[in-house]
Amino acid sequence: MRREPDIRNFLAHLPLFQGLAPEAFARLAAGTTRRRLRRGDTLFRLGQASSGFYAVVHGRVKLAAPAAHGRERVSAIVDAGRSFGEAIMFLEKPYIVSAVALGDALVLHVAKETVFAELERNPAFARRVIAALAAKLHASVRELDLYALGSGGKRFAAWLLRGVPAAESGAVSLTLPAAKRAIASQLNLSAEHLSRILRELALEGLLEVQGRKVRVPDVVRLREWLSNDQAFPGRPQPSGRARLHKA
């Protein structure tokens, strides 16, 4: 059984609230409620009015909206320790996506009235909010740059490496945060196209994939391939079967 976190301690680690005084955390915690979700539960729906913002304590939440031909367009997958919904809360506009749990999750809801009252009371908090939202905007611009990469393979590789430190070399092991279909949607790919990309990267020896576990044997080599103009260079394939395994 998961240990329930102390709300004040959890809020203190969110970028939005870092550096606040203990009494401010007490006020914010008083306006915070827990939401426990099961896989597939909807936290809020597109078009619904915002009543605050959310932070994921554990689990993952998918933000998505309908796309053409009945498909779903995933805009983000929010991991534990991250918050979402702040910008819409400040704009006081309806949600432009729906939020759905990808598995069992615990999410905190911080009421809009509580946040606005603290902003009125604390100018330093207002500056912190501006800085946090600016950081999120910067991250969004970087995501758009990633999606502008030409081939689907390049987009996936850049997405996969986005959290790997630039100084990292050698092998790294990663876990995909969601099902491949959701990741494909986030990268504006079909699930079939992403599966084909994984096979091609495995044939090149750039990745080893087993279910959601991904091993990059040589990060430097994958980055060099990412900066190469060709999608797949067509060098001789390694002998034996590609290291792509079914879950």
Side-chain angles (χ1 to χ4, degrees):
M1 186 174 179
R2 291 180 184 270
R3 184 180 176 183
E4 287 290 315
D6 177 80
I7 289 180
R8 294 191 200 184
N9 288 339
F10 184 83
L11 293 177
H13 287 86
L14 293 176
L16 200 65
F17 296 147
Q18 287 177 2
L20 291 181
E23 56 269 24
F25 284 120
R27 291 189 292 266
L28 290 164
T32 300
T33 54
R34 291 178 170 90
R35 287 285 306 274
R36 293 175 180 83
L37 305 171
R38 297 289 188 184
R39 178 184 177 88
D41 284 353
T42 298
L43 186 61
F44 57 76
R45 299 184 186 278
L46 183 151
Q48 183 179 326
S50 170
S51 59
F53 77 93
Y54 296 88
V56 182
V57 179
H58 63 74
R60 293 186 176 93
V61 174
K62 173 181 68 177
L63 306 181
H69 309 297
R71 293 185 176 180
E72 180 183 69
R73 175 75 172 92
V74 177
S75 60
I77 296 169
V78 187
D79 295 308
R82 292 177 57 196
S83 60
F84 61 98
E86 301 96 331
I88 288 291
M89 176 187 70
F90 287 115
L91 288 171
E92 299 191 85
K93 299 285 187 181
Y95 289 116
I96 59 174
V97 295
S98 296
V100 178
L102 290 173
D104 289 351
L106 175 61
V107 177
L108 299 183
H109 173 265
V110 185
K112 176 172 64 177
E113 295 79 10
T114 302
V115 176
F116 286 5
E118 195 60 36
L119 285 169
E120 293 286 344
R121 183 183 288 111
N122 189 344
F125 177 47
R127 290 193 293 273
R128 167 55 61 184
V129 166
I130 292 170
L133 292 177
K136 284 201 167 191
L137 177 60
H138 178 68
S140 296
V141 171
R142 291 187 65 185
E143 288 278 311
L144 289 174
D145 288 343
L146 185 158
Y147 300 148
L149 291 172
S151 73
K154 301 286 188 181
R155 292 204 300 275
F156 175 74
W159 176 87
L160 188 68
L161 292 173
R162 73 199 191 288
V164 178
E168 190 74 49
S169 61
V172 296
S173 295
L174 306 163
T175 301
L176 299 180
K180 291 167 188 172
R181 183 174 297 276
I183 293 168
S185 174
Q186 190 176 359
L187 295 172
N188 200 23
L189 303 169
S190 68
E192 295 76 15
H193 190 182
L194 179 57
S195 293
R196 187 164 64 251
I197 287 166
L198 290 171
R199 287 195 295 270
E200 291 170 336
L201 290 171
L203 283 168
E204 290 293 334
L206 294 168
L207 294 183
E208 298 169 11
V209 184
Q210 188 166 14
R212 291 191 186 180
K213 303 292 184 182
V214 178
R215 182 176 182 271
V216 182
D218 188 336
V219 173
V220 172
R221 184 174 167 227
L222 182 58
R223 286 200 175 104
E224 288 175 348
W225 174 82
L226 189 56
S227 64
N228 192 299
D229 288 338
Q230 286 183 283
F232 291 96
R235 49 180 169 269
Q237 304 298 335
S239 60
R241 298 179 64 184
R243 296 181 181 180
L244 178 63
H245 312 284
K246 294 182 179 179

